[in-house]
Amino acid sequence: MAKKVLFINQEVDPYVAETHMSIMGRELPQKMQEAGFEIRTFMPKWGTINERRGQLHEVIRLSGMNLIIDDSDHPLIIKVASIPTTRQQIYFIDNDDYFNRRQMSTDEKGVEYTDNGERAIFFARGVLETVKKLRWQPDVIVCQGWVSAVVPFYIKTAYAEEPSFADSKVICAIYPSELKGSLGHNFKQCVEYREATPDKLTEYGDNFDFVELAKMAIDYSDGVVEAAEGVNAELIKYAEDKNKPLLCFPGDDFAEPYAKLINEVCPDED
């Protein structure tokens, strides 16, 4: 039976500008599908995405849930589209407060959003709740980009007993630092949900920034990828010191190394 791989991406080409990460967001799931894996792909519905051009439409049966973050209700909206050239289906997580009319990490003037931490928390929970509704049980979850970095923590705490994720392994792909500032002074409080409690984050600095976020993702992952050139050397050493299976930057021929890592963290049953 084909292994199920869930890709939780920050960027997917052609829905956002072409970058190394957005190209990987498109090509990695495609190549893993060609390698025999069953895939699903999620990303945020950033405000810069043209819904009409991208032919996005809302999935009513998946939308409608409210997620409570920092004592505030935030409606979860799910949209879907297919990449024309590959017919790869993409699920989009949307919300008026966190994504509508807003860019990725900074506003039009280049100033980072002060609630980026909350946005990552909402996105993580939105993806996981939607996968539950789809009744799809991923064997491996691959996280790419800062906005996906809360997922490993939730998988191993708040969602550890959920049938959809009880046996899921997690791989985090580390990219060069995308955030310069803090994710918000109240990040540890906002992330609280079920067993995902702030006391589990005491070893990380209170000023939660990109490095602390990446360390948390590494700690709660089963494998780590140096996903690009120029990744913070401190983070790669951190992963090595934790004895995590590590894929060093594979360059252009990435399909086989990624498939090997997926099979390493989730070996075939005898």
Side-chain angles (χ1 to χ4, degrees):
M1 185 180 295
K3 282 178 189 160
K4 298 181 176 72
V5 184
L6 172 63
F7 291 93
I8 305 180
N9 292 323
Q10 180 170 305
E11 306 175 23
V12 178
D13 174 67
Y15 301 106
V16 298
E18 192 173 288
T19 64
H20 175 66
M21 191 189 296
S22 72
I23 291 170
M24 287 298 290
R26 183 192 74 234
E27 292 191 354
L28 180 58
Q30 180 186 342
K31 289 186 181 297
M32 293 304 96
Q33 186 169 264
E34 291 168 356
F37 297 103
E38 183 181 328
I39 67 154
R40 291 275 170 91
T41 301
F42 281 77
M43 73 173 290
K45 212 298 286 180
W46 304 113
T48 53
I49 295 172
N50 187 310
E51 293 193 37
R52 186 177 57 80
R53 190 181 305 142
Q55 298 184 330
L56 277 67
H57 61 272
E58 185 175 349
V59 186
I60 303 298
R61 69 182 178 88
L62 297 176
S63 298
M65 180 183 292
N66 274 11
L67 303 181
I68 300 173
I69 297 173
D70 202 24
D71 296 327
S72 296
D73 274 4
H74 300 277
L76 174 62
I77 302 165
I78 309 299
K79 296 174 180 175
V80 71
S82 295
I83 299 175
T85 52
T86 64
R87 295 188 177 180
Q88 184 187 152
Q89 195 172 58
I90 311 293
Y91 289 91
F92 296 85
I93 299 294
D94 200 4
N95 171 265
D96 287 348
D97 300 319
Y98 292 133
F99 301 117
N100 188 34
R101 302 182 187 278
R102 299 177 71 185
Q103 302 187 138
M104 279 191 227
S105 57
T106 64
D107 63 20
E108 292 80 0
K109 296 180 180 178
V111 178
E112 286 187 5
Y113 296 113
T114 57
D115 62 350
N116 276 337
E118 287 186 43
R119 299 169 87 207
I121 291 164
F122 179 87
F123 178 63
R125 285 181 54 191
V127 171
L128 299 180
E129 292 297 336
T130 304
V131 171
K132 279 170 52 182
K133 280 191 174 183
L134 290 170
R135 292 192 170 92
W136 195 72
Q137 299 174 310
D139 298 299
V140 178
I141 300 169
V142 179
C143 302
Q144 301 200 84
W146 67 264
V147 81
S148 71
V150 181
V151 170
F153 177 58
Y154 276 151
I155 287 292
K156 299 303 171 84
T157 56
Y159 290 82
E161 301 301 321
E162 290 278 2
S164 295
F165 306 109
D167 298 317
S168 298
K169 304 298 183 183
V170 187
I171 293 171
C172 67
I174 306 295
Y175 284 81
S177 180
E178 309 148 64
L179 300 174
K180 309 303 179 190
S182 170
L183 288 161
H185 67 282
N186 62 339
F187 177 83
K188 291 182 181 180
Q189 285 67 46
C190 291
V191 82
E192 184 171 4
Y193 179 61
R194 295 177 178 169
E195 295 78 20
T197 52
D199 62 279
K200 291 183 168 66
L201 304 177
T202 53
E203 64 184 276
Y204 310 108
D206 288 333
N207 184 28
F208 233 81
D209 59 9
F210 177 82
V211 171
E212 297 301 293
L213 186 68
K215 285 180 177 178
M216 183 182 77
I218 290 168
D219 284 335
Y220 287 90
S221 291
D222 301 286
V224 179
V225 179
E226 181 186 10
E229 294 177 311
V231 170
N232 186 330
E234 175 191 351
L235 294 175
I236 300 305
K237 185 177 187 306
Y238 186 84
E240 291 173 339
D241 291 345
K242 296 283 183 173
N243 292 316
K244 301 284 181 177
L246 174 66
L247 170 60
C248 294
F249 181 53
D252 293 335
D253 296 324
F254 57 83
E256 190 174 327
Y258 267 92
K260 184 178 178 181
L261 181 61
I262 289 170
N263 287 321
E264 182 180 350
V265 301
C266 182
D268 294 321
E269 296 180 358
D270 294 330

